[in-house]
Amino acid sequence: MDALLLLFAAIALGGLVFLPWMRRRRAAAHAERGLAVATDPMAGYGFVPLDQLDVRLPGPDEELAAALDEVRRTHDWRPAAELLRSTGDNWELRWQRVQTLAGAAAFELADTSQAPASSGGMRTGGIWLRTWRAEAPKDPGGAQTHAQFLVVQALSDPGSQDFRMILEEARTVCREAALLAPGSPIPYITELAVARGLDERPADYEELWAEVCRRAPHHMGAHLAALSYWSQKWHGSRKEAEDFAQRAAAGAPAKSLLPALPLFAVYEHLPEANMVRSLFQSAVVERAVEGAHFALQQAPADHPMAPHVRHLLVWFLVRAERYAEAMEQLRLVDGHVGAVPWSYGRSPAAEYAAYRALAIAGWEQLGGTSTGFRTQS
């Protein structure tokens, strides 16, 4: 299970890197305090028990869950291929499903140690993914999943001597996938992570980003992937990342989640020191939180990326002691924890449950009850 958690952390939002150890330690200490004041968060609230939280997905996707279960049971690639065929050109949903299928193949590799870790090629893939590529080489879904699988492999061990080799192969497969489905943005979004890992020059990265925007100009997942490149811990700065997020939010069409992007930019650049309540009640954080609220109110309730926004909102709202608002987000997202910020930690389910406990404790300190919470459903 530990390997599963680490691999799904590696693929969260297109392969974002782990936060520094000190941030995890502070978050864990904060979470432990929450567990101390609310040790039974399910009592009366109808929340999913800790051991039943799904670490694979940020929110419910019954078709994806069924395909994953069938692939795992039979090692047959066809349920995965059919899932992506039925997804069609719903690019947000397709991107999320490709990531999850690639993560499942990577987990199978780590879990069974089927092949030497030194190879970046198909010899090291999950059995069903290798077979998929061999038996249906022209299937764009298989090529897209293979490319993302290679990115997961590389980013799970960036210190490996094969890191660049694997990313170069991922780029080759991305371009093959692009030829198989010329109108799809998915291979280009995957290549954003490749270019980030290979330290592409800003001018070259901008050219790649332009290709993404020609195909899916308002794709939330693509913007989150690009945000990482412009962040301070990769190839940009806090100002560059915030400017990128603000431009995207300002130019967002109706019913878009892009007004929530500044919240992710704030999260990526939180200071290691001064992680105190006043920081989370500052004007900068409040504006970003309100932007996320606005985006969720305007976007369709079933937007594939909405759970990602809700999970990050829970984290910020609990930190800001806005417990009633946090509880409302928990009501809508509880049960799945495959999202930032939980996926940055060693135990996503436990860290999510700890923040959930903090929210419940704060809610009850303000006079809230489980009965009152249920009646608001």
Side-chain angles (χ1 to χ4, degrees):
M1 180 60 73
D2 287 343
L4 175 62
L5 298 180
L6 288 171
L7 280 162
F8 277 97
I11 67 170
L13 302 180
L16 303 179
V17 296
F18 295 109
L19 289 178
W21 175 78
M22 282 300 291
R23 183 177 292 175
R24 291 203 302 266
R25 188 178 70 172
R26 291 190 184 98
H30 192 71
E32 288 170 2
R33 289 195 294 275
L35 289 175
V37 297
T39 56
D40 187 11
M42 274 68 66
Y45 287 91
F47 287 135
V48 175
L50 171 63
D51 61 356
Q52 296 178 28
L53 292 170
D54 191 336
V55 302
R56 303 170 301 174
L57 308 175
D61 185 339
E62 293 182 4
E63 293 178 344
L64 175 56
L68 286 170
D69 291 343
E70 187 67 10
V71 167
R72 185 177 181 85
R73 185 181 67 82
T74 65
H75 299 289
D76 185 359
W77 56 270
R78 290 172 182 82
E82 179 55 36
L83 175 75
L84 293 184
R85 275 195 293 271
S86 68
T87 306
D89 60 358
N90 184 336
W91 302 131
E92 295 276 16
L93 183 60
R94 188 180 186 91
W95 170 236
Q96 189 154 276
R97 286 176 167 180
V98 164
Q99 287 192 89
T100 304
L101 290 169
F107 171 60
E108 180 181 328
L109 165 64
D111 192 41
T112 59
S113 300
Q114 296 175 26
S118 60
S119 172
M122 285 304 296
R123 289 181 293 131
T124 62
I127 292 175
W128 59 270
L129 178 55
R130 297 202 315 256
T131 307
W132 186 0
R133 294 291 284 138
E135 295 182 356
K138 301 301 183 183
D139 185 344
Q144 292 165 10
T145 304
H146 179 203
Q148 181 62 28
F149 163 79
L150 291 167
V151 169
V152 174
Q153 268 201 307
L155 293 179
S156 66
D157 186 11
S160 166
Q161 63 179 357
D162 296 329
F163 176 73
R164 293 189 65 86
M165 181 186 73
I166 296 173
L167 285 181
E168 290 287 2
E169 182 174 357
R171 171 176 280 164
T172 298
V173 180
C174 282
R175 293 176 180 177
E176 178 185 349
L179 292 174
L180 293 172
S184 174
I186 305 303
Y188 297 93
I189 299 173
T190 298
E191 195 172 344
L192 289 172
V194 174
R196 188 177 72 233
L198 291 176
D199 302 327
E200 288 286 342
R201 297 180 308 151
D204 294 332
Y205 199 83
E206 288 279 13
E207 185 177 346
L208 175 60
W209 177 242
E211 289 291 338
V212 173
C213 290
R214 275 194 279 273
R215 291 163 174 79
H218 307 296
H219 193 287
M220 181 67 173
H223 278 79
L224 286 168
L227 180 66
S228 293
Y229 180 90
W230 298 113
S231 70
Q232 188 171 1
K233 64 174 169 271
W234 280 97
H235 307 299
S237 65
R238 175 174 180 170
K239 184 179 187 306
E240 288 176 290
E242 290 179 348
D243 287 350
F244 175 81
Q246 293 294 342
R247 285 195 303 271
K255 300 182 179 181
S256 169
L257 278 177
L258 287 176
L261 194 63
L263 187 67
F264 289 85
V266 170
Y267 180 75
E268 289 297 313
H269 294 88
L270 286 172
E272 290 301 327
N274 195 31
M275 296 284 280
V276 296
R277 181 181 65 180
S278 60
L279 172 65
F280 296 93
Q281 295 176 342
S282 67
V284 171
V285 171
E286 286 194 3
R287 282 196 300 269
V289 166
E290 294 315 308
H293 276 305
F294 173 80
L296 289 169
Q297 290 165 4
Q298 299 299 311
D302 61 350
H303 193 295
M305 294 298 293
H308 288 283
V309 179
R310 295 191 188 283
H311 280 290
L312 192 58
L313 262 180
V314 168
W315 191 89
F316 273 98
L317 292 170
V318 168
R319 289 277 187 159
E321 300 184 6
R322 296 166 63 170
Y323 300 117
E325 295 170 74
M327 291 291 284
E328 183 58 29
Q329 297 304 321
L330 287 167
R331 184 202 308 279
L332 296 169
V333 82
D334 189 64
H336 301 81
V337 297
V340 170
W342 326 120
S343 56
Y344 277 150
R346 290 189 173 186
S347 179
E351 294 191 21
Y352 166 83
Y355 272 78
R356 183 174 63 182
L358 281 166
I360 292 171
W363 162 262
E364 292 181 348
Q365 287 170 5
L366 295 172
T369 65
S370 58
T371 301
F373 180 74
R374 292 197 309 273
T375 58
Q376 293 178 14
S377 301

